[in-house]
Amino acid sequence: MSLKGKTAVVTGGGRGIGRAVCLELATQGADVVLCYAGSEATARQTAAACEAMGVRALTVRCDVSSPQQVARLMETALQEFGRIDILVNNAGITRDGLLMSMKEEDFDQVIAANLKGTFLCMKAVSRQMVKQRYGRIVNLSSVVGLRGNAGQVNYAASKAGVVGMTKSAAKELAGRGVTVNAVAPGFIDTDMTAAMPEKARTATLASIPMGKMGAAADVAKAVAFFAGDSAAYITGQVLCVDGGMAM
């Protein structure tokens, strides 16, 4: 229980990778504040699964692209738990389309949720973590942000931006006991990838040296590593969890 006594805020924690992160952190003893924007029922199911491990779990509806809602999320976490030790910026969306036909609103929405949302959440917790002289921020990027992907100009831009923000924030906060790192998942078995056309799934699998999709739990374990004491002297780094896809 290496995270016992710690409080983690996980955005987009209701399902997929976010759910796996919540469960992994709870397994290691952390109390969890689960932020969600979609299904309340799904978020509560994830919270209940965390509580079954003997930790406290709280669900908060939040649009991470809204400064007001992000502020309320962090205020709620502090009121309930007194401190925020870990922030996992997982919330994100896709609005895929080719460059020539992509709607401007689809570009703006992805940037707002994936990039601005990460910025707002980091900004909202940074002062508290600096005050505590302790904090672990883990941002979810993507191999798409490192190597690009046809039909995902908006998503790739947002996830590449997350890498840049991670490295910049790491330099700003390192001297105050706060680490900032990123995890870049590859082709992970989630609801999002399950909806892909079979032809696209087959082509993507062919580009993975290990020849298989990853599991959400694989990503969650990487996040938990950065959140724990084993990574206390690691900051500004990007860890690909992708079966060799980004090599």
Side-chain angles (χ1 to χ4, degrees), residues 1-10 20-33 49-57 81 83 85-86 134 220 224-225 227-229:
M1 305 270 294
S2 63
L3 299 177
K4 187 174 180 59
K6 300 290 194 295
T7 298
V9 174
V10 181
V21 168
C22 289
L23 295 177
E24 180 64 30
L25 297 180
T27 297
Q28 296 197 26
D31 294 322
V32 178
V33 179
C50 292
E51 290 174 335
M53 299 177 193
V55 304
R56 295 174 62 193
F81 296 99
R83 58 187 290 127
D85 301 288
I86 302 160
Y134 180 92
F225 166 70
D229 290 339

Side-chain angles (χ1 to χ4, degrees), residues 11-12 34-38 59-74 91 121:
T11 69
L34 187 164
C35 152
Y36 68 98
T59 60
V60 180
R61 185 184 293 276
C62 176
D63 174 359
V64 295
S65 68
S66 165
Q68 295 78 19
Q69 292 189 39
V70 168
R72 182 174 63 84
L73 167 66
M74 302 309 175
C121 289

